[in-house]
């Protein structure tokens, strides 16, 4: 009789263990995944964004070769802004290209947050600042800005670097593009690295090379 009474207990123990160690964790992961998916869907489609900064006051001051710093409003932007060591205003950088007729463009390295694809490419200034709530301008004071802009253009079409490896130039991220162009015209130039060896946006305000001349919100 005692042997028979042990079997149901053992079966219940096995069923309980199966539930707690397999079914319950899977259910929790599923619910967490659904919650994350819902949040991301809302984040990219329905959240209320602040109006982009007015580019007109900046446009009048902008010159070819200027660094255009942006305070983005996306998930990656928040991460990079907060990982600046000292100056946490900006999350992304590009380089200004001003046409003879005054039309302004920005060349920069950027990838799509959802698809992951991206390159070094040129876009109008107004489009560059659309998903941001602040912009700033820094100007080279030790090197020729025209030569710097020409050096940047050499990297147009290079794939975006999701590894953020500033030592591997087969792909490039935004601040790495700035450093590479600097080194093309001044081989000893270098920008300060932050955590994990990443060149953070605040490095493009390095007073050895740049002077901040404007900020617009």
């Amino acid at each position: 009789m005692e042997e028979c009474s042990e079997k149901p207990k053992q079966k219940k123990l096995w069923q309980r263990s199966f539930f707690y160690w397999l079914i319950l964790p899977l259910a929790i992961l599923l619910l967490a995944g659904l919650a994350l998916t819902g949040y991301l869907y809302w984040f990219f489609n329905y959240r209320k964004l602040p109006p982009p900064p007015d580019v007109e006051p900046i446009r009048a001051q902008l010159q070819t070769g200027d660094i255009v710093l942006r305070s983005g409003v996306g998930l990656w932007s928040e991460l990079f802004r907060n990982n600046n060591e000292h100056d946490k205003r900006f999350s992304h950088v590009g380089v200004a290209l001003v046409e003879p007729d005054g039309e302004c463009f920005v060349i920069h390295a950027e990838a799509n947050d959802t698809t992951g694809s991206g390159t070094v490419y040129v876009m109008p200034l107004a489009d560059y600042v659309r998903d941001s709530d602040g912009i700033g301008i820094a100007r080279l004071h030790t090197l020729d800005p025209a030569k710097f802009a020409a050096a940047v253009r050499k990297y147009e079409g290079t794939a975006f670097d999701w590894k953020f490896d500033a030592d591997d130039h087969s792909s490039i991220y935004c601040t790495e593009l700035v450093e590479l162009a600097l080194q093309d015209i001044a081989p000893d130039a270098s920008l300060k690295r932050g955590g994990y060896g990443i060149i953070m946006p605040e490095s493009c305000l390095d007073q050895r090379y740049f002077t901040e001349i404007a900020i617009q919100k």
Side-chain angles (χ1 to χ4, degrees):
M1 294 294 292
E2 292 181 359
E3 292 181 1
C4 293
S5 63
E6 287 296 326
K7 290 182 179 180
K9 291 182 180 180
Q10 292 176 357
K11 185 176 182 181
K12 287 181 180 180
L13 180 62
W14 179 85
Q15 290 174 336
R16 193 178 301 119
S17 299
F18 182 78
F19 175 78
Y20 282 117
W21 297 106
L22 182 61
I23 301 300
L24 186 58
L26 287 175
I28 292 172
L29 287 174
L30 178 61
L31 290 173
L34 289 173
L36 178 61
T37 301
Y39 171 75
L40 291 175
Y41 186 79
W42 167 84
F43 186 88
F44 288 110
N45 293 280
Y46 294 107
R47 67 193 174 111
K48 186 177 181 180
L49 297 176
D54 181 9
V55 298
E56 292 309 316
I58 292 291
R59 193 191 302 272
Q61 303 179 62
L62 205 58
Q63 298 178 12
T64 290
D66 285 348
I67 304 296
V68 186
L69 301 104
R70 181 178 79 188
S71 179
V73 293
L75 288 171
W76 282 100
S77 299
E78 185 74 14
L79 175 66
F80 278 105
R81 184 165 49 246
N82 289 332
N83 275 278
N84 286 304
E85 185 177 358
H86 301 292
D87 190 332
K88 299 182 182 296
R89 290 176 296 166
F90 302 111
S91 59
H92 186 68
V93 303
V95 178
L97 304 171
V98 182
E99 297 294 322
D101 62 1
E103 194 169 3
C104 298
F105 297 87
V106 177
I107 181 169
H108 64 134
E110 185 180 42
N112 186 285
D113 283 344
T114 53
T115 66
S117 62
T119 61
V120 177
Y121 69 106
V122 178
M123 68 190 311
L125 174 64
D127 293 339
Y128 176 79
V129 304
R130 181 167 295 148
D131 293 329
S132 64
D133 58 10
I135 52 176
I137 305 297
R139 181 165 294 159
L140 283 165
H141 58 72
T142 59
L143 300 171
D144 186 333
K147 290 182 179 179
F148 172 66
V152 173
R153 293 297 299 262
K154 289 166 47 179
Y155 297 97
E156 188 172 354
T158 304
F160 183 82
D161 181 11
W162 277 106
K163 295 180 180 179
F164 296 98
D165 183 353
D167 297 319
D168 177 4
H169 306 318
S170 59
S171 54
I172 298 172
Y173 60 94
C174 65
T175 47
E176 181 185 358
L177 174 64
V178 172
E179 183 180 71
L180 284 176
L182 285 175
Q183 291 174 344
D184 280 351
I185 59 175
D188 293 333
S190 63
L191 295 178
K192 182 181 176 182
R193 265 70 168 161
Y196 303 102
I198 298 173
I199 306 170
M200 301 306 297
E202 66 177 351
S203 296
C204 293
L205 295 169
D206 189 328
Q207 294 181 3
R208 292 176 300 165
Y209 308 111
F210 307 106
T211 299
E212 186 173 355
I213 63 170
I215 182 170
Q216 181 71 25
K217 290 187 175 181

